[in-house]
Amino acid sequence: MLIEHLRSGKKVVGANQCARAVRDGLAREVFLALDADPALTAPLAQQCLRQSIPVVTQYTKEELGRAAGIQVSAAVIALLEKF
């Protein structure tokens, strides 16, 4: 999925919220910042792999925050399934 979909799509931001969305089967795609701490992103990447959720890792924290339309950088963002 293109990063442009972060602004308009239903999403959650932050490692804990994203992990919860993945665990509950609500996430359809997860964006992990390439410059984020691997101690933060690696467990979530493994969880996504186990649940066959696509992971995008080609953007920085600043790019993810800006694409999501928030005022701060973001290490983890999950796009949610449409209901």
Side-chain angles (χ1 to χ4, degrees), residues 5-76:
H5 292 281
L6 287 178
R7 183 173 295 271
S8 60
K10 184 157 175 63
K11 64 192 161 292
V12 292
V13 179
N16 290 336
Q17 289 183 321
C18 291
R20 189 176 310 117
V22 169
R23 182 192 66 223
D24 294 345
L26 302 176
R28 66 176 169 163
E29 187 167 24
V30 173
F31 289 80
L32 302 176
L34 61 88
D35 58 343
D37 183 355
L40 175 75
T41 59
L44 186 54
Q46 288 298 317
Q47 188 178 3
C48 290
L49 180 65
R50 284 191 300 272
Q51 293 187 238
S52 301
I53 297 171
V55 175
V56 178
T57 59
Q58 66 191 47
Y59 301 103
T60 65
K61 293 186 290 189
E62 183 179 328
E63 290 171 322
L64 289 179
R66 189 176 30 229
I70 60 176
Q71 298 296 318
V72 295
S73 62
V76 183

